[in-house]
Amino acid sequence: MTDGFPARLQKLRERRRISRKTLSELCGLSPDAVRRYERGEAEPSASSLVALADYFSVSTDYLLGRTKYF
């Protein structure tokens, strides 16, 4: 899936021009969590997914690739 969670997370992060480490810190995640999510090496917990969606002001469905719109 080319427009799934890893790709959408990376696209949103790059639009904000923040590092993976900074995003992890802002969302209360471990320092390398965003890196692992973007590479598809790990899947976020429900609470991590909500924290990321809240930070970017998007729905969790958008982050997961279930809808095309924020």
Side-chain angles (χ1 to χ4, degrees):
M1 181 182 302
T2 61
D3 197 28
F5 174 70
R8 288 188 177 195
L9 177 61
Q10 183 173 0
K11 185 185 301 183
L12 288 168
R13 181 184 58 77
E14 289 174 349
R15 282 185 188 163
R16 291 271 176 111
R17 297 180 179 178
I18 61 172
S19 69
R20 292 171 174 159
K21 182 179 177 186
T22 298
L23 178 58
S24 293
E25 290 171 358
L26 291 169
C27 292
L29 307 173
S30 67
D32 67 336
V34 173
R35 177 189 56 81
R36 290 184 293 128
Y37 298 158
E38 287 182 0
R39 289 182 167 184
E41 297 171 352
E43 294 183 4
S45 65
S47 61
S48 297
L49 186 63
V50 168
L52 291 164
D54 286 349
Y55 177 78
F56 290 115
S57 298
V58 299
S59 69
T60 55
D61 279 348
Y62 175 79
L63 270 179
L64 292 172
R66 295 173 46 105
T67 182
K68 293 182 181 184
Y69 307 103
F70 298 112

Short mmCIF file of all heavy atoms in Angstrom, two decimals:
data_model
loop_
_atom_site.label_atom_id
_atom_site.label_comp_id
_atom_site.label_asym_id
_atom_site.label_seq_id
_atom_site.Cartn_x
_atom_site.Cartn_y
_atom_site.Cartn_z
N MET A 1 0.86 -1.18 0.00
CA MET A 1 0.00 0.00 0.00
C MET A 1 0.90 1.24 0.00
O MET A 1 1.65 1.47 0.93
CB MET A 1 -0.91 -0.02 1.24
CG MET A 1 -1.84 1.16 1.31
SD MET A 1 -2.87 1.18 2.79
CE MET A 1 -3.71 -0.36 2.66
N THR A 2 0.82 2.02 -1.05
CA THR A 2 1.69 3.18 -1.17
C THR A 2 1.18 4.40 -0.43
O THR A 2 1.92 5.33 -0.19
CB THR A 2 1.89 3.55 -2.65
OG1 THR A 2 0.61 3.86 -3.22
CG2 THR A 2 2.55 2.42 -3.42
N ASP A 3 -0.09 4.41 -0.08
CA ASP A 3 -0.64 5.56 0.62
C ASP A 3 -1.19 5.15 1.99
O ASP A 3 -2.19 5.67 2.45
CB ASP A 3 -1.74 6.22 -0.22
CG ASP A 3 -2.05 7.63 0.25
OD1 ASP A 3 -1.14 8.28 0.80
OD2 ASP A 3 -3.19 8.08 0.08
N GLY A 4 -0.50 4.21 2.62
CA GLY A 4 -0.92 3.75 3.93
C GLY A 4 -0.33 4.59 5.04
O GLY A 4 0.22 5.68 4.82
N PHE A 5 -0.41 4.07 6.23
CA PHE A 5 0.03 4.80 7.41
C PHE A 5 1.47 5.31 7.32
O PHE A 5 1.71 6.50 7.56
CB PHE A 5 -0.17 3.93 8.66
CG PHE A 5 0.39 4.55 9.90
CD1 PHE A 5 -0.19 5.67 10.46
CD2 PHE A 5 1.52 4.02 10.50
CE1 PHE A 5 0.34 6.26 11.61
CE2 PHE A 5 2.06 4.59 11.64
CZ PHE A 5 1.45 5.72 12.19
N PRO A 6 2.46 4.47 6.97
CA PRO A 6 3.84 4.99 6.93
C PRO A 6 4.00 6.19 6.00
O PRO A 6 4.62 7.19 6.38
CB PRO A 6 4.66 3.78 6.45
CG PRO A 6 3.86 2.60 6.88
CD PRO A 6 2.42 3.03 6.70
N ALA A 7 3.45 6.10 4.81
CA ALA A 7 3.58 7.19 3.84
C ALA A 7 2.86 8.45 4.28
O ALA A 7 3.37 9.56 4.15
CB ALA A 7 3.05 6.74 2.48
N ARG A 8 1.67 8.28 4.82
CA ARG A 8 0.91 9.45 5.27
C ARG A 8 1.57 10.14 6.44
O ARG A 8 1.62 11.37 6.52
CB ARG A 8 -0.53 9.07 5.58
CG ARG A 8 -1.31 8.77 4.31
CD ARG A 8 -2.76 8.59 4.55
NE ARG A 8 -3.40 8.38 3.26
CZ ARG A 8 -4.70 8.46 3.08
NH1 ARG A 8 -5.49 8.74 4.09
NH2 ARG A 8 -5.21 8.26 1.88
N LEU A 9 2.09 9.35 7.37
CA LEU A 9 2.78 9.94 8.51
C LEU A 9 4.00 10.73 8.05
O LEU A 9 4.20 11.87 8.48
CB LEU A 9 3.19 8.84 9.50
CG LEU A 9 3.99 9.31 10.71
CD1 LEU A 9 3.19 10.30 11.55
CD2 LEU A 9 4.40 8.11 11.55
N GLN A 10 4.78 10.14 7.17
CA GLN A 10 5.97 10.83 6.68
C GLN A 10 5.60 12.11 5.93
O GLN A 10 6.23 13.15 6.13
CB GLN A 10 6.78 9.91 5.76
CG GLN A 10 8.07 10.55 5.29
CD GLN A 10 8.95 9.60 4.52
OE1 GLN A 10 8.61 8.43 4.33
NE2 GLN A 10 10.08 10.08 4.08
N LYS A 11 4.57 12.06 5.11
CA LYS A 11 4.15 13.23 4.35
C LYS A 11 3.71 14.37 5.29
O LYS A 11 4.10 15.52 5.11
CB LYS A 11 3.00 12.87 3.41
CG LYS A 11 2.58 13.99 2.49
CD LYS A 11 1.36 13.63 1.65
CE LYS A 11 1.60 12.43 0.79
NZ LYS A 11 0.45 12.11 -0.08
N LEU A 12 2.93 14.04 6.29
CA LEU A 12 2.47 15.06 7.25
C LEU A 12 3.64 15.64 8.02
O LEU A 12 3.72 16.86 8.23
CB LEU A 12 1.45 14.45 8.21
CG LEU A 12 0.08 14.15 7.63
CD1 LEU A 12 -0.72 13.28 8.60
CD2 LEU A 12 -0.67 15.42 7.30
N ARG A 13 4.56 14.79 8.44
CA ARG A 13 5.73 15.26 9.20
C ARG A 13 6.60 16.18 8.35
O ARG A 13 7.02 17.24 8.82
CB ARG A 13 6.55 14.07 9.70
CG ARG A 13 7.76 14.49 10.53
CD ARG A 13 8.61 13.30 10.93
NE ARG A 13 9.10 12.52 9.82
CZ ARG A 13 10.12 12.87 9.03
NH1 ARG A 13 10.76 14.01 9.23
NH2 ARG A 13 10.51 12.08 8.05
N GLU A 14 6.82 15.79 7.13
CA GLU A 14 7.66 16.62 6.25
C GLU A 14 7.00 17.95 5.93
O GLU A 14 7.69 18.96 5.79
CB GLU A 14 8.00 15.85 4.98
CG GLU A 14 8.98 14.72 5.25
CD GLU A 14 9.26 13.83 4.06
OE1 GLU A 14 8.54 13.94 3.02
OE2 GLU A 14 10.19 13.01 4.15
N ARG A 15 5.69 17.97 5.81
CA ARG A 15 4.98 19.24 5.58
C ARG A 15 5.19 20.21 6.74
O ARG A 15 5.26 21.41 6.54
CB ARG A 15 3.49 19.00 5.38
CG ARG A 15 3.13 18.49 4.03
CD ARG A 15 1.64 18.41 3.89
NE ARG A 15 1.27 17.75 2.65
CZ ARG A 15 0.10 17.25 2.40
NH1 ARG A 15 -0.87 17.34 3.31
NH2 ARG A 15 -0.16 16.66 1.25
N ARG A 16 5.25 19.67 7.94
CA ARG A 16 5.48 20.51 9.12
C ARG A 16 6.95 20.85 9.33
O ARG A 16 7.31 21.64 10.20
CB ARG A 16 4.98 19.81 10.39
CG ARG A 16 3.48 19.67 10.50
CD ARG A 16 2.87 20.88 11.17
NE ARG A 16 1.42 20.76 11.18
CZ ARG A 16 0.69 20.56 12.24
NH1 ARG A 16 1.26 20.46 13.43
NH2 ARG A 16 -0.62 20.47 12.14
N ARG A 17 7.80 20.18 8.56
CA ARG A 17 9.25 20.39 8.63
C ARG A 17 9.82 20.15 10.02
O ARG A 17 10.57 20.96 10.57
CB ARG A 17 9.62 21.78 8.14
CG ARG A 17 9.27 21.99 6.70
CD ARG A 17 9.65 23.35 6.24
NE ARG A 17 9.28 23.46 4.82
CZ ARG A 17 9.44 24.54 4.12
NH1 ARG A 17 9.97 25.62 4.66
NH2 ARG A 17 9.08 24.57 2.86
N ILE A 18 9.43 19.01 10.57
CA ILE A 18 9.98 18.63 11.88
C ILE A 18 10.66 17.27 11.75
O ILE A 18 10.33 16.47 10.88
CB ILE A 18 8.90 18.59 12.99
CG1 ILE A 18 7.81 17.58 12.69
CG2 ILE A 18 8.31 19.97 13.22
CD1 ILE A 18 6.85 17.37 13.82
N SER A 19 11.59 17.03 12.63
CA SER A 19 12.32 15.76 12.60
C SER A 19 11.48 14.65 13.21
O SER A 19 10.50 14.90 13.93
CB SER A 19 13.63 15.89 13.38
OG SER A 19 13.37 16.02 14.76
N ARG A 20 11.89 13.45 12.93
CA ARG A 20 11.21 12.29 13.53
C ARG A 20 11.32 12.33 15.05
O ARG A 20 10.36 12.05 15.76
CB ARG A 20 11.82 11.00 13.00
CG ARG A 20 11.56 10.77 11.54
CD ARG A 20 12.36 9.60 11.03
NE ARG A 20 11.99 9.29 9.66
CZ ARG A 20 12.77 8.61 8.84
NH1 ARG A 20 13.95 8.19 9.23
NH2 ARG A 20 12.36 8.36 7.61
N LYS A 21 12.50 12.67 15.52
CA LYS A 21 12.74 12.71 16.97
C LYS A 21 11.85 13.77 17.63
O LYS A 21 11.24 13.52 18.67
CB LYS A 21 14.21 13.01 17.26
CG LYS A 21 14.53 13.02 18.72
CD LYS A 21 16.00 13.30 18.97
CE LYS A 21 16.27 13.37 20.46
NZ LYS A 21 17.63 13.77 20.74
N THR A 22 11.75 14.94 17.01
CA THR A 22 10.93 16.01 17.58
C THR A 22 9.47 15.59 17.62
O THR A 22 8.78 15.81 18.63
CB THR A 22 11.09 17.31 16.76
OG1 THR A 22 12.46 17.71 16.83
CG2 THR A 22 10.21 18.42 17.29
N LEU A 23 8.98 14.98 16.54
CA LEU A 23 7.59 14.52 16.52
C LEU A 23 7.36 13.49 17.62
O LEU A 23 6.34 13.54 18.31
CB LEU A 23 7.23 13.96 15.15
CG LEU A 23 5.82 13.41 15.02
CD1 LEU A 23 4.76 14.48 15.33
CD2 LEU A 23 5.61 12.83 13.62
N SER A 24 8.29 12.57 17.77
CA SER A 24 8.17 11.56 18.83
C SER A 24 8.05 12.23 20.20
O SER A 24 7.18 11.87 21.00
CB SER A 24 9.37 10.62 18.82
OG SER A 24 9.40 9.83 17.67
N GLU A 25 8.90 13.22 20.45
CA GLU A 25 8.87 13.92 21.74
C GLU A 25 7.56 14.67 21.94
O GLU A 25 6.98 14.63 23.02
CB GLU A 25 10.04 14.90 21.82
CG GLU A 25 11.39 14.22 21.93
CD GLU A 25 12.57 15.18 21.79
OE1 GLU A 25 12.36 16.39 21.56
OE2 GLU A 25 13.72 14.70 21.90
N LEU A 26 7.09 15.36 20.91
CA LEU A 26 5.85 16.14 21.02
C LEU A 26 4.63 15.27 21.28
O LEU A 26 3.67 15.71 21.89
CB LEU A 26 5.63 16.96 19.74
CG LEU A 26 6.62 18.11 19.53
CD1 LEU A 26 6.46 18.68 18.12
CD2 LEU A 26 6.38 19.20 20.57
N CYS A 27 4.69 14.03 20.81
CA CYS A 27 3.56 13.12 20.97
C CYS A 27 3.74 12.14 22.14
O CYS A 27 2.91 11.27 22.35
CB CYS A 27 3.32 12.35 19.68
SG CYS A 27 2.74 13.40 18.34
N GLY A 28 4.84 12.29 22.88
CA GLY A 28 5.08 11.43 24.04
C GLY A 28 5.44 10.00 23.67
O GLY A 28 5.13 9.07 24.41
N LEU A 29 6.12 9.84 22.53
CA LEU A 29 6.51 8.51 22.07
C LEU A 29 7.99 8.29 22.33
O LEU A 29 8.73 9.22 22.59
CB LEU A 29 6.23 8.39 20.57
CG LEU A 29 4.82 8.74 20.12
CD1 LEU A 29 4.74 8.74 18.60
CD2 LEU A 29 3.81 7.78 20.71
N SER A 30 8.43 7.04 22.20
CA SER A 30 9.86 6.76 22.36
C SER A 30 10.62 7.47 21.24
O SER A 30 10.07 7.73 20.17
CB SER A 30 10.12 5.25 22.32
OG SER A 30 9.84 4.74 21.04
N PRO A 31 11.90 7.79 21.47
CA PRO A 31 12.67 8.60 20.51
C PRO A 31 12.70 8.06 19.08
O PRO A 31 12.75 8.82 18.13
CB PRO A 31 14.07 8.62 21.10
CG PRO A 31 13.85 8.42 22.55
CD PRO A 31 12.67 7.51 22.66
N ASP A 32 12.67 6.74 18.90
CA ASP A 32 12.74 6.20 17.55
C ASP A 32 11.41 5.67 17.02
O ASP A 32 11.35 5.02 15.98
CB ASP A 32 13.81 5.12 17.46
CG ASP A 32 13.46 3.88 18.26
OD1 ASP A 32 12.67 3.99 19.21
OD2 ASP A 32 13.97 2.79 17.92
N ALA A 33 10.31 5.97 17.71
CA ALA A 33 9.00 5.45 17.32
C ALA A 33 8.59 5.90 15.92
O ALA A 33 8.17 5.08 15.09
CB ALA A 33 7.94 5.86 18.34
N VAL A 34 8.72 7.17 15.63
CA VAL A 34 8.27 7.68 14.33
C VAL A 34 9.11 7.06 13.21
O VAL A 34 8.58 6.70 12.16
CB VAL A 34 8.31 9.23 14.29
CG1 VAL A 34 8.02 9.74 12.89
CG2 VAL A 34 7.29 9.79 15.27
N ARG A 35 10.39 6.91 13.43
CA ARG A 35 11.25 6.26 12.43
C ARG A 35 10.74 4.85 12.12
O ARG A 35 10.61 4.46 10.96
CB ARG A 35 12.70 6.20 12.90
CG ARG A 35 13.62 5.46 11.92
CD ARG A 35 15.02 5.21 12.49
NE ARG A 35 15.02 4.49 13.75
CZ ARG A 35 14.91 3.16 13.86
NH1 ARG A 35 14.77 2.41 12.80
NH2 ARG A 35 14.93 2.59 15.05
N ARG A 36 10.44 4.10 13.17
CA ARG A 36 9.95 2.73 12.98
C ARG A 36 8.59 2.71 12.29
O ARG A 36 8.34 1.86 11.44
CB ARG A 36 9.90 1.99 14.31
CG ARG A 36 11.30 1.71 14.85
CD ARG A 36 11.31 0.90 16.13
NE ARG A 36 10.73 1.70 17.22
CZ ARG A 36 9.75 1.29 18.01
NH1 ARG A 36 9.24 0.10 17.88
NH2 ARG A 36 9.28 2.08 18.96
N TYR A 37 7.72 3.66 12.63
CA TYR A 37 6.40 3.73 11.97
C TYR A 37 6.55 4.05 10.49
O TYR A 37 5.90 3.43 9.65
CB TYR A 37 5.52 4.81 12.62
CG TYR A 37 5.17 4.58 14.07
CD1 TYR A 37 4.80 5.65 14.87
CD2 TYR A 37 5.21 3.32 14.66
CE1 TYR A 37 4.47 5.48 16.20
CE2 TYR A 37 4.90 3.14 15.99
CZ TYR A 37 4.52 4.22 16.76
OH TYR A 37 4.19 4.06 18.08
N GLU A 38 7.40 5.02 10.17
CA GLU A 38 7.57 5.43 8.78
C GLU A 38 8.21 4.34 7.92
O GLU A 38 7.95 4.27 6.73
CB GLU A 38 8.38 6.72 8.68
CG GLU A 38 7.61 7.94 9.14
CD GLU A 38 8.39 9.23 8.99
OE1 GLU A 38 9.55 9.21 8.53
OE2 GLU A 38 7.82 10.29 9.34
N ARG A 39 9.02 3.53 8.51
CA ARG A 39 9.66 2.42 7.79
C ARG A 39 8.75 1.19 7.73
O ARG A 39 9.10 0.20 7.07
CB ARG A 39 10.97 2.04 8.44
CG ARG A 39 12.06 3.06 8.25
CD ARG A 39 13.32 2.57 8.90
NE ARG A 39 14.46 3.37 8.50
CZ ARG A 39 15.70 3.10 8.86
NH1 ARG A 39 15.95 2.06 9.64
NH2 ARG A 39 16.66 3.87 8.46
N GLY A 40 7.66 1.20 8.45
CA GLY A 40 6.77 0.05 8.48
C GLY A 40 7.28 -1.07 9.37
O GLY A 40 6.82 -2.20 9.27
N GLU A 41 8.22 -0.76 10.24
CA GLU A 41 8.81 -1.75 11.13
C GLU A 41 7.96 -1.99 12.39
O GLU A 41 8.15 -3.00 13.07
CB GLU A 41 10.21 -1.32 11.56
CG GLU A 41 11.18 -1.20 10.42
CD GLU A 41 12.51 -0.58 10.80
OE1 GLU A 41 12.66 -0.08 11.93
OE2 GLU A 41 13.40 -0.58 9.94
N ALA A 42 7.07 -1.06 12.68
CA ALA A 42 6.22 -1.17 13.87
C ALA A 42 4.89 -0.49 13.58
O ALA A 42 4.80 0.36 12.70
CB ALA A 42 6.89 -0.51 15.07
N GLU A 43 3.88 -0.90 14.31
CA GLU A 43 2.56 -0.28 14.21
C GLU A 43 2.27 0.44 15.52
O GLU A 43 2.61 -0.06 16.60
CB GLU A 43 1.50 -1.33 13.94
CG GLU A 43 1.65 -1.99 12.57
CD GLU A 43 0.55 -2.97 12.28
OE1 GLU A 43 -0.39 -3.10 13.10
OE2 GLU A 43 0.63 -3.61 11.23
N PRO A 44 1.64 1.59 15.44
CA PRO A 44 1.38 2.36 16.67
C PRO A 44 0.26 1.75 17.49
O PRO A 44 -0.65 1.11 16.96
CB PRO A 44 0.97 3.73 16.13
CG PRO A 44 0.32 3.43 14.82
CD PRO A 44 1.14 2.29 14.26
N SER A 45 0.35 1.95 18.78
CA SER A 45 -0.76 1.58 19.66
C SER A 45 -1.90 2.56 19.40
O SER A 45 -1.71 3.60 18.75
CB SER A 45 -0.32 1.66 21.13
OG SER A 45 -0.05 3.02 21.45
N ALA A 46 -3.06 2.26 19.92
CA ALA A 46 -4.21 3.16 19.75
C ALA A 46 -3.90 4.53 20.33
O ALA A 46 -4.20 5.56 19.70
CB ALA A 46 -5.45 2.56 20.40
N SER A 47 -3.28 4.59 21.48
CA SER A 47 -2.99 5.88 22.10
C SER A 47 -1.95 6.66 21.30
O SER A 47 -2.03 7.88 21.19
CB SER A 47 -2.55 5.70 23.55
OG SER A 47 -1.38 4.93 23.64
N SER A 48 -0.98 5.97 20.73
CA SER A 48 0.02 6.65 19.90
C SER A 48 -0.62 7.18 18.62
O SER A 48 -0.31 8.30 18.18
CB SER A 48 1.16 5.69 19.53
OG SER A 48 1.85 5.27 20.67
N LEU A 49 -1.49 6.41 18.03
CA LEU A 49 -2.19 6.83 16.82
C LEU A 49 -3.03 8.08 17.09
O LEU A 49 -3.01 9.04 16.31
CB LEU A 49 -3.07 5.69 16.31
CG LEU A 49 -3.76 5.91 14.99
CD1 LEU A 49 -2.75 6.08 13.87
CD2 LEU A 49 -4.69 4.74 14.69
N VAL A 50 -3.72 8.10 18.21
CA VAL A 50 -4.53 9.27 18.58
C VAL A 50 -3.63 10.48 18.81
O VAL A 50 -3.95 11.59 18.37
CB VAL A 50 -5.39 8.96 19.82
CG1 VAL A 50 -6.02 10.23 20.38
CG2 VAL A 50 -6.48 7.95 19.47
N ALA A 51 -2.50 10.29 19.47
CA ALA A 51 -1.58 11.41 19.72
C ALA A 51 -1.07 12.00 18.41
O ALA A 51 -1.01 13.22 18.24
CB ALA A 51 -0.40 10.96 20.59
N LEU A 52 -0.73 11.16 17.45
CA LEU A 52 -0.27 11.63 16.15
C LEU A 52 -1.38 12.35 15.39
O LEU A 52 -1.17 13.41 14.81
CB LEU A 52 0.28 10.46 15.32
CG LEU A 52 1.58 9.85 15.83
CD1 LEU A 52 1.83 8.48 15.21
CD2 LEU A 52 2.75 10.79 15.56
N ALA A 53 -2.57 11.77 15.40
CA ALA A 53 -3.71 12.39 14.71
C ALA A 53 -4.03 13.75 15.34
O ALA A 53 -4.30 14.72 14.62
CB ALA A 53 -4.93 11.47 14.77
N ASP A 54 -4.00 13.82 16.65
CA ASP A 54 -4.26 15.10 17.33
C ASP A 54 -3.21 16.14 16.96
O ASP A 54 -3.53 17.29 16.70
CB ASP A 54 -4.29 14.91 18.84
CG ASP A 54 -5.56 14.23 19.34
OD1 ASP A 54 -6.52 14.08 18.54
OD2 ASP A 54 -5.58 13.84 20.52
N TYR A 55 -1.96 15.73 16.93
CA TYR A 55 -0.88 16.68 16.61
C TYR A 55 -1.08 17.27 15.21
O TYR A 55 -0.93 18.47 15.01
CB TYR A 55 0.49 16.01 16.71
CG TYR A 55 1.58 16.97 16.31
CD1 TYR A 55 2.02 17.96 17.18
CD2 TYR A 55 2.12 16.94 15.03
CE1 TYR A 55 2.98 18.88 16.79
CE2 TYR A 55 3.09 17.86 14.63
CZ TYR A 55 3.51 18.83 15.52
OH TYR A 55 4.45 19.75 15.13
N PHE A 56 -1.43 16.43 14.26
CA PHE A 56 -1.58 16.89 12.88
C PHE A 56 -3.00 17.38 12.56
O PHE A 56 -3.27 17.82 11.45
CB PHE A 56 -1.21 15.77 11.90
CG PHE A 56 0.26 15.47 11.89
CD1 PHE A 56 0.74 14.25 12.31
CD2 PHE A 56 1.18 16.40 11.44
CE1 PHE A 56 2.09 13.95 12.29
CE2 PHE A 56 2.54 16.14 11.42
CZ PHE A 56 2.99 14.90 11.85
N SER A 57 -3.91 17.29 13.51
CA SER A 57 -5.31 17.68 13.32
C SER A 57 -5.95 16.93 12.15
O SER A 57 -6.59 17.53 11.28
CB SER A 57 -5.42 19.20 13.10
OG SER A 57 -4.96 19.89 14.23
N VAL A 58 -5.73 15.63 12.14
CA VAL A 58 -6.35 14.76 11.14
C VAL A 58 -7.06 13.63 11.88
O VAL A 58 -6.84 13.42 13.07
CB VAL A 58 -5.31 14.18 10.15
CG1 VAL A 58 -4.62 15.29 9.37
CG2 VAL A 58 -4.29 13.30 10.85
N SER A 59 -7.88 12.89 11.15
CA SER A 59 -8.56 11.75 11.77
C SER A 59 -7.62 10.54 11.79
O SER A 59 -6.68 10.44 10.99
CB SER A 59 -9.83 11.40 11.00
OG SER A 59 -9.51 10.86 9.73
N THR A 60 -7.90 9.63 12.69
CA THR A 60 -7.12 8.39 12.72
C THR A 60 -7.39 7.60 11.44
O THR A 60 -6.48 6.93 10.93
CB THR A 60 -7.45 7.55 13.96
OG1 THR A 60 -8.86 7.31 14.02
CG2 THR A 60 -6.98 8.23 15.23
N ASP A 61 -8.60 7.67 10.90
CA ASP A 61 -8.90 6.99 9.64
C ASP A 61 -8.03 7.53 8.51
O ASP A 61 -7.56 6.77 7.67
CB ASP A 61 -10.37 7.13 9.27
CG ASP A 61 -11.26 6.14 10.00
OD1 ASP A 61 -10.73 5.20 10.62
OD2 ASP A 61 -12.50 6.30 9.93
N TYR A 62 -7.80 8.83 8.48
CA TYR A 62 -6.91 9.39 7.46
C TYR A 62 -5.49 8.83 7.62
O TYR A 62 -4.88 8.38 6.66
CB TYR A 62 -6.88 10.93 7.51
CG TYR A 62 -5.88 11.47 6.53
CD1 TYR A 62 -6.19 11.56 5.18
CD2 TYR A 62 -4.60 11.84 6.93
CE1 TYR A 62 -5.25 12.00 4.25
CE2 TYR A 62 -3.65 12.28 6.01
CZ TYR A 62 -3.99 12.37 4.68
OH TYR A 62 -3.05 12.78 3.76
N LEU A 63 -4.99 8.85 8.84
CA LEU A 63 -3.64 8.34 9.08
C LEU A 63 -3.50 6.88 8.66
O LEU A 63 -2.48 6.47 8.13
CB LEU A 63 -3.26 8.46 10.55
CG LEU A 63 -2.58 9.74 11.01
CD1 LEU A 63 -2.30 9.68 12.50
CD2 LEU A 63 -1.31 10.01 10.25
N LEU A 64 -4.54 6.10 8.88
CA LEU A 64 -4.50 4.68 8.57
C LEU A 64 -4.75 4.38 7.10
O LEU A 64 -4.69 3.23 6.67
CB LEU A 64 -5.51 3.92 9.43
CG LEU A 64 -5.18 3.88 10.92
CD1 LEU A 64 -6.34 3.28 11.69
CD2 LEU A 64 -3.89 3.13 11.18
N GLY A 65 -5.07 5.41 6.31
CA GLY A 65 -5.32 5.21 4.89
C GLY A 65 -6.72 4.75 4.57
O GLY A 65 -7.00 4.27 3.47
N ARG A 66 -7.63 4.91 5.52
CA ARG A 66 -9.01 4.46 5.32
C ARG A 66 -9.88 5.50 4.65
O ARG A 66 -10.97 5.20 4.20
CB ARG A 66 -9.62 4.06 6.67
CG ARG A 66 -8.93 2.85 7.27
CD ARG A 66 -9.42 2.56 8.69
NE ARG A 66 -10.84 2.62 8.82
CZ ARG A 66 -11.64 1.56 8.94
NH1 ARG A 66 -11.11 0.36 8.96
NH2 ARG A 66 -12.93 1.71 9.08
N THR A 67 -9.42 6.73 4.61
CA THR A 67 -10.13 7.81 3.94
C THR A 67 -9.13 8.71 3.25
O THR A 67 -7.98 8.80 3.68
CB THR A 67 -11.01 8.61 4.94
OG1 THR A 67 -11.73 9.61 4.24
CG2 THR A 67 -10.19 9.25 6.01
N LYS A 68 -9.55 9.39 2.20
CA LYS A 68 -8.63 10.24 1.45
C LYS A 68 -8.53 11.64 2.01
O LYS A 68 -7.67 12.41 1.61
CB LYS A 68 -9.08 10.33 -0.01
CG LYS A 68 -8.96 9.02 -0.75
CD LYS A 68 -9.38 9.17 -2.19
CE LYS A 68 -9.26 7.84 -2.90
NZ LYS A 68 -9.57 7.95 -4.32
N TYR A 69 -9.42 11.99 2.89
CA TYR A 69 -9.49 13.35 3.40
C TYR A 69 -9.19 13.41 4.88
O TYR A 69 -9.44 12.47 5.61
CB TYR A 69 -10.87 13.95 3.11
CG TYR A 69 -11.24 13.83 1.66
CD1 TYR A 69 -12.12 12.86 1.22
CD2 TYR A 69 -10.64 14.65 0.71
CE1 TYR A 69 -12.43 12.73 -0.13
CE2 TYR A 69 -10.95 14.52 -0.63
CZ TYR A 69 -11.84 13.56 -1.05
OH TYR A 69 -12.13 13.44 -2.37
N PHE A 70 -8.65 14.56 5.31
CA PHE A 70 -8.29 14.77 6.72
C PHE A 70 -9.50 14.53 7.58
O PHE A 70 -9.52 14.23 8.65
CB PHE A 70 -7.76 16.17 6.97
CG PHE A 70 -6.50 16.47 6.21
CD1 PHE A 70 -6.49 17.40 5.20
CD2 PHE A 70 -5.33 15.83 6.51
CE1 PHE A 70 -5.34 17.71 4.52
CE2 PHE A 70 -4.17 16.12 5.82
CZ PHE A 70 -4.18 17.05 4.82
#
